């Protein structure tokens, strides 16, 4: 099927879709997109700039490969890709990986650096799944014929920490200002770029990327060093931005008593993941809204534009946006714990697949933040269903509050400044 021709948006308007990090939480994004994609199509504003980070890069690649289809078919294809992302198709069982981990760890302990430990989980199954689940020929064709103007995947260079945007585009790429820790490279996207973007440090092994040759090297999850997740979409020329995240739009509420409770390894891990995966998007949405307010002030905007253009920077402009993410950080954690207890908490289930139980115990099984950690690794169809339901719910809530979809000012009822 072909996309709807009943466009109501300007033909030259660029709409960007930004899909942030989340591991198994990406099921939430799939649910939200089931609601958002038809709305965008009805407005004649199908995304032509796609930016993905970590698990979001897998979805952005899948969407690039189906951009020639209508929104309903795109959603169906996304659900098919999600359905294949079960644990056996993503990571190797720990019991199979344990000898390799032990050998590599012992090697490094003894100073034999030729046999390095790069991650606790083996992700060979994910590479095979991506190779077959995404129509790579269609992806390249959709970029070449202009159906998609740019498809960018964010990864982090291990040694330098440089944020690298592997970008397939028929047009020119932006050159960020000096001092920015971000670079764009023309790339023919493939499995290694997606693997690199989603390689959560320590958990998943870093990935060697060989193409393009000028940026060849070892990479990990793009979320680890990027601090402005919306910037690539704007630098790639977006006039409007749709963002779907998996972290809360609201910061945690103050609770002095809770802060005094004992913590463990799992709590530290959950806090680190939240800082890396969730906080930057919330802060960047606030900055976008503030910039929109500055651009709307004619007198101030003129003064700021002269100042910025004099320094070789682009003038401020108003960029309408739509943002869907969980209102509460506990939503996905709660359903993760419910699914874990139902599907993985019994002795029989543990004997059949001990990996999650082992991780649960190693990281402190009584921690109230355990659900936060498990939600990144729970590649379980029941969790996917529950998370997708939350995504659909929150996307509908956004549309109910913003019938035209777009907002320029602060999040307001959807979030608070912090």
């Amino acid at each position: 099927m072909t996309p709807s021709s009943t466009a109501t948006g300007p033909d030259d308007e660029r709409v960007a879709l930004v899909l942030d990090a989340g591991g198994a939480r990406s099921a939430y994004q799939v649910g939200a997109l089931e609601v958002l994609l038809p709305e965008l199509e009805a407005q004649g504003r199908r995304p032509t700039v796609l930016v993905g980070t970590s698990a979001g890069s897998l979805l952005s690649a899948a969407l690039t490969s189906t951009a020639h289809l209508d929104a309903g078919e795109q959603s169906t294809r996304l659900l098919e890709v999600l359905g294949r992302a079960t644990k056996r198709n993503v990571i190797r069982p720990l019991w199979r990986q344990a000898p390799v981990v032990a050998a590599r760890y012992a090697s490094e302990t003894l100073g034999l650096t030729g046999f390095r430990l790069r991650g606790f989980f083996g992700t060979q199954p994910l590479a095979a799944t991506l190779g077959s689940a995404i129509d790579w020929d269609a992806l390249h064709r959709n970029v070449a014929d202009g159906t998609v103007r740019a498809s960018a995947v964010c990864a982090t260079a291990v040694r330098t920490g440089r944020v690298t945007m592997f970008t397939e585009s028929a047009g020119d790429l932006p050159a960020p200002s000096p001092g920015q820790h971000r670079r764009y490279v023309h790339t023919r996207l493939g499995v290694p770029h997606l693997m690199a973007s989603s390689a959560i440090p320590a958990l998943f092994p870093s990935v060697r990327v060989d193409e393009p040759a000028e940026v060849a090297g070892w990479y990990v999850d793009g979320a680890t060093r990027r601090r402005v997740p919306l910037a690539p979409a704007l630098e790639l020329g977006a006039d409007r931005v749709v963002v779907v995240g998996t972290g809360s739009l609201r910061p945690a509420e103050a609770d002095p008593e809770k802060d005094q409770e004992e913590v463990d390894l799992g709590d530290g891990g959950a806090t680190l993941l939240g800082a890396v995966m969730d906080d930057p998007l919330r802060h960047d949405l606030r900055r976008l809204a503030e910039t929109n307010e500055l651009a709307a002030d004619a007198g101030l905007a003129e003064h700021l534009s002269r100042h910025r253009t004099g320094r070789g920077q682009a003038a401020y402009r108003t960029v309408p946006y739509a943002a869907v993410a969980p209102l509460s950080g506990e939503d996905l954690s709660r359903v993760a714990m419910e699914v874990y207890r139902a599907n993985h908490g019994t002795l029989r289930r543990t004997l059949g697949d001990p990996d999650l139980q082992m991780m649960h115990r190693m990281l402190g099984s009584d921690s109230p933040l355990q659900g936060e950690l498990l939600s990144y690794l729970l590649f379980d169809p029941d969790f996917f269903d529950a998370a997708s339901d939350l995504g659909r719910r929150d996307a509908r809530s956004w549309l109910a509050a913003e019938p035209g979809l777009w907002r320029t000012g602060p999040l307001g009822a959807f979030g608070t400044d912090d």
Side-chain angles (χ1 to χ4, degrees):
M1 300 176 69
T2 58
S4 170
S5 60
T6 59
T8 58
D11 291 338
D12 60 349
E13 188 177 58
R14 294 192 182 191
V15 177
L17 176 60
V18 178
L19 297 173
D20 213 24
R25 293 166 158 221
S26 59
Y28 174 94
Q29 296 170 305
V30 172
L33 289 169
E34 281 189 78
V35 177
L36 295 175
L37 291 177
E39 176 65 23
L40 289 165
E41 182 176 82
Q43 292 189 17
R45 292 190 168 107
R46 293 169 59 91
T48 59
V49 175
L50 295 114
V51 178
T53 300
S54 193
S57 71
L58 315 185
L59 299 182
S60 69
L63 287 170
T64 303
S65 72
T66 58
H68 58 291
L69 303 174
D70 65 31
E73 185 63 21
Q74 277 194 294
S75 296
T76 298
R77 296 290 182 88
L78 272 185
L79 286 170
E80 291 173 355
V81 172
L82 179 64
R84 297 181 63 173
T86 55
K87 179 175 171 291
R88 63 180 296 179
N89 292 330
V90 174
I91 55 179
R92 294 184 67 187
L94 274 175
W95 64 268
R96 292 183 59 187
Q97 188 72 9
V100 176
V101 170
R104 288 184 179 274
Y105 183 76
S107 173
E108 294 212 46
T109 302
L110 295 172
L112 306 176
T113 56
F115 196 51
R116 296 180 182 273
L117 176 63
R118 299 191 175 93
F120 288 103
F121 287 97
T123 53
Q124 298 91 334
L126 176 59
T129 299
L130 292 174
S132 60
I134 294 175
D135 187 339
W136 292 99
D137 289 338
L139 182 152
H140 304 314
R141 186 169 57 250
N142 285 338
V143 175
D145 67 15
T147 302
V148 171
R149 300 192 190 200
S151 185
V153 168
C154 179
T156 303
V158 175
R159 293 298 187 187
T160 64
R162 193 96 181 264
V163 176
T164 302
M165 304 302 302
F166 293 107
T167 309
E168 185 157 346
S169 173
D172 295 333
L173 298 184
S177 303
Q180 290 188 357
H181 208 52
R182 181 169 57 255
R183 60 184 172 182
Y184 294 81
V185 291
H186 273 291
T187 309
R188 183 176 172 85
L189 289 175
V191 171
H193 305 105
L194 305 191
M195 294 292 292
S197 180
S198 55
I200 301 174
L203 290 179
F204 298 157
S206 50
V207 175
R208 171 82 186 183
V209 174
D210 294 317
E211 296 292 339
E214 65 267 25
V215 293
W218 292 94
Y219 289 85
V220 291
D221 197 303
T224 55
R225 297 298 289 267
R226 64 94 177 88
R227 292 294 175 264
V228 282
L230 301 183
L234 301 178
E235 290 170 349
L236 287 166
D239 300 297
R240 296 172 182 266
V241 175
V242 180
V243 56
V244 185
T246 64
S248 175
L249 286 177
R250 296 174 178 170
E253 295 182 1
D255 190 337
E257 292 185 3
K258 183 179 291 186
D259 285 336
Q260 297 185 51
E261 296 176 0
E262 293 291 336
V263 299
D264 56 23
L265 180 63
D267 294 316
T271 301
L272 176 61
L273 279 175
V276 170
M277 304 287 191
D278 302 345
D279 294 351
L281 179 58
R282 186 169 65 247
H283 294 315
D284 216 16
L285 283 168
R286 183 181 65 189
R287 280 190 290 266
L288 177 61
E290 291 172 348
T291 302
N292 283 341
E293 290 181 332
L294 292 175
D297 186 322
L300 184 59
E302 182 180 356
H303 173 76
L304 290 173
S305 294
R306 285 200 302 268
H307 174 71
R308 289 177 61 80
T309 54
R311 299 173 62 187
Q313 298 175 318
Y316 283 146
R317 57 197 173 93
T318 300
V319 179
Y321 71 92
V324 176
L327 296 185
S328 168
E330 297 180 356
D331 286 349
L332 288 168
S333 300
R334 173 181 51 79
V335 297
M337 285 306 302
E338 290 173 355
V339 171
Y340 169 77
R341 292 189 180 111
N343 293 359
H344 306 276
T346 65
L347 177 60
R348 182 173 65 85
R349 294 296 181 99
T350 298
L351 292 174
D353 184 1
D355 288 357
L356 284 174
Q357 183 67 247
M358 290 171 61
M359 290 292 297
H360 188 47
R361 297 296 176 186
M362 288 169 57
L363 295 173
S365 58
D366 63 346
S367 165
L369 296 181
Q370 272 294 297
E372 185 85 2
L373 286 172
L374 288 172
S375 66
Y376 288 94
L377 297 171
L378 198 57
F379 297 99
D380 182 301
D382 290 339
F383 176 65
F384 290 165
D385 289 344
S388 295
D389 285 343
L390 291 175
R392 285 186 284 268
R393 179 203 67 182
D394 290 346
R396 292 182 184 122
S397 294
W398 179 275
L399 283 174
E402 300 288 341
L405 184 63
W406 307 104
R407 176 178 291 207
T408 58
L411 284 169
F414 287 93
T416 57
D417 289 343
D418 55 327

